[in-house]
Amino acid sequence: MKKHNFYAGPSILSRQAIDNTIDAVRDFAGTGLSILEISHRSKEFSAVIEEAQALFKELLDIPAGYEVVFLGGGASTQFCMVPMNLLAKKAAYLDTGTWANKAIKEAKLFGEVDVVASSKEANYTFVPKDYTVPADVDYFHITTNNTIFGTEIRKDLDVPARLVADMSSDIFSRPVDVSKYDIIYGGAQKNLAPAGVTFVIVKVDALGKVDRALPTMLNYKTHIDKGSMFNTPPVLPIYTALQTLRWYKELGGVKELQRRDEEKAAYLYDAIDSSKMFVGTVNAEDRSIMNVCFVMKPEYKELEKEFIDFATARGIVGIKGHRSVGGFRASLYNALPLDSVKVLVEAMHDFENR
Ligand SMILES: *Cc1c(COP(=O)(O)O)cnc(C)c1O
């Protein structure tokens, strides 16, 4: 049966990225060796990482003065690397959910943290907008897409401080004005590659402003200076990331990805809004176009489990909501076709009309 993959992460990748990765596992770039068994310093792999960095810069229109590095440790390691490298005295954070919270916890290890606003009391059903960022902070940290709660900041904020963003789950879903950020980072396993690689876009000039001693591996400069080759980088996920980036370019770049993503999200949100059984969980204006969270209305609540089974029988996979929200979460990452969204919406209609 054809599967429709709505997992939140690791999550759907394009068939092209997966097939090309399989080919390279068998025979990488005509070397007669698998990509699993070749030196990361071979000229064949160097070409991969260089092209991946170049495509990042091209697709996101990254200005001069920024570098792209590929690291291990997941986005979660960036929660500590960011403050370690940038927080001299005080940083501001916006608390929009679980991931933001984890970032705040790590930042507190390195200095004063001003949480300028939080929607925690409302179980993160909206993105706070009524706050001011103190001008004297070293940076202001945001999570652009709240993967668990289904809210998103879909514009580049103007703040009187350096901006740092966790874009793990919405990178490449819209054009980004990178010049407004000092650091953009994310785990690759949502919109780019299998788990194992983390991308970091760093404004070089933001570094070197803290006095603390930085462990070599946790210093951005180490990885920038060595082109992400200070130690062995996550070779296989970087290879798959390159395949995804090539595919993005073939499709027409981030503007086209944005058009597709918005079309998919509108299709599903319209179905939720016109349903008598399902209801969205977050403020309409803050809705994520990547992770759509919804539940059954109170009078149908006991049917949630039954709907999961009903959908599973149609090949729909990964729609169970995160335990902190319940209900359902449909992740509509770039590689998910509109057809899969249509299958989900049809299942919702048919379930309602039974
Ligand atoms: C998944 C996710 C993370 C965690 O990423 P890891 O690579 O597992 O550490 C952090 N932030 C956001 C927004 C996420 O979606």
Side-chain angles (χ1 to χ4, degrees):
M1 190 199 325
K2 180 167 168 39
K3 297 288 179 163
H4 302 280
N5 182 357
F6 292 92
Y7 273 121
S11 42
I12 188 165
L13 292 168
S14 71
R15 199 60 239 176
Q16 181 172 329
I18 291 172
D19 287 342
N20 291 352
T21 303
I22 291 168
D23 290 345
V25 167
R26 295 187 194 287
D27 180 1
F28 170 47
T31 56
L33 298 172
S34 169
I35 188 157
L36 303 179
E37 56 179 6
I38 191 168
S39 169
H40 60 293
R41 302 200 187 277
S42 62
K43 68 175 188 324
E44 290 84 2
F45 186 74
S46 297
V48 166
I49 201 161
E50 279 163 23
E51 186 183 343
Q53 281 158 343
L55 277 175
F56 243 87
K57 289 184 176 175
E58 180 183 336
L59 288 163
L60 293 174
D61 202 12
I62 299 177
Y66 287 78
E67 292 298 338
V68 178
V69 291
F70 298 115
L71 309 176
S76 299
T77 298
Q78 296 309 306
F79 296 163
C80 77
M81 246 175 114
V82 164
M84 191 181 268
N85 282 263
L86 300 191
L87 205 174
K89 199 163 177 296
K90 184 165 82 163
Y93 276 70
L94 186 62
D95 177 20
T96 53
T98 309
W99 298 116
N101 242 287
K102 292 189 172 182
I104 291 166
K105 176 167 178 264
E106 299 302 302
K108 286 180 175 167
L109 298 171
F110 298 96
E112 201 182 319
V113 175
D114 183 351
V115 179
V116 296
S118 169
S119 46
K120 185 173 183 168
E121 294 302 311
N123 201 31
Y124 298 115
T125 47
F126 68 96
V127 175
K129 286 161 210 83
D130 195 16
Y131 58 84
T132 46
V133 177
D136 66 341
V137 294
D138 297 315
Y139 63 87
F140 175 49
H141 180 283
I142 57 173
T143 310
T144 50
N145 186 62
N146 297 286
T147 322
I148 291 176
F149 293 95
T151 61
E152 190 175 10
I153 300 169
R154 284 196 67 73
K155 59 174 197 260
D156 304 307
L157 302 178
D158 285 301
V159 288
R162 297 170 178 276
L163 192 56
V164 172
D166 174 357
M167 294 198 186
S168 292
S169 52
D170 64 351
I171 191 79
F172 295 113
S173 71
R174 65 174 177 96
V176 171
D177 182 354
V178 176
S179 72
K180 289 193 172 169
Y181 300 82
D182 274 22
I183 291 192
I184 296 173
Y185 66 85
Q189 68 275 20
K190 313 281 169 44
N191 235 350
L192 196 62
V197 64
T198 310
F199 65 85
V200 190
I201 303 168
V202 192
K203 187 176 190 178
V204 178
D205 151 86
L207 304 176
K209 299 191 178 1
V210 295
D211 291 333
R212 71 178 62 85
L214 298 170
T216 310
M217 274 298 285
L218 298 178
N219 186 342
Y220 289 120
K221 200 159 180 310
T222 303
H223 303 286
I224 290 171
D225 289 349
K226 299 285 181 188
S228 301
M229 291 279 214
F230 171 74
N231 71 322
T232 319
V235 171
L236 190 71
I238 291 172
Y239 185 82
T240 310
L242 172 61
Q243 308 313 308
T244 301
L245 294 167
R246 283 180 177 168
W247 183 62
Y248 286 171
K249 186 174 171 176
E250 279 166 32
L251 289 177
V254 280
K255 278 221 173 83
E256 171 60 14
L257 293 167
Q258 178 181 33
R259 188 195 66 73
R260 290 173 179 227
D261 291 337
E262 287 176 355
E263 182 181 26
K264 285 182 285 179
Y267 195 90
L268 182 51
Y269 282 122
D270 284 351
I272 293 167
D273 289 342
S274 58
S275 161
K276 63 176 199 298
M277 192 174 255
F278 299 93
V279 62
T281 56
V282 305
N283 266 23
E285 64 173 14
D286 296 323
R287 284 171 160 178
S288 167
I289 64 157
M290 295 274 95
N291 311 96
V292 177
C293 294
F294 56 108
V295 293
M296 277 184 177
K297 291 182 181 172
E299 59 270 39
Y300 300 105
K301 204 77 191 163
E302 75 285 359
L303 295 176
E304 285 185 344
K305 168 81 179 59
E306 212 176 303
F307 177 66
I308 300 259
D309 295 339
F310 185 83
T312 304
R314 295 178 175 209
I316 293 167
V317 179
I319 57 160
K320 193 170 179 331
H322 189 274
R323 61 188 180 281
S324 46
V325 179
F328 317 102
R329 169 175 53 174
S331 297
L332 314 181
Y333 296 122
N334 290 345
L336 184 88
L338 177 61
D339 277 348
S340 289
V341 182
K342 290 184 173 168
V343 169
L344 173 60
V345 167
E346 196 184 350
M348 290 161 68
H349 283 153
D350 291 351
F351 189 78
E352 242 183 84
N353 296 332
R354 280 179 325 166

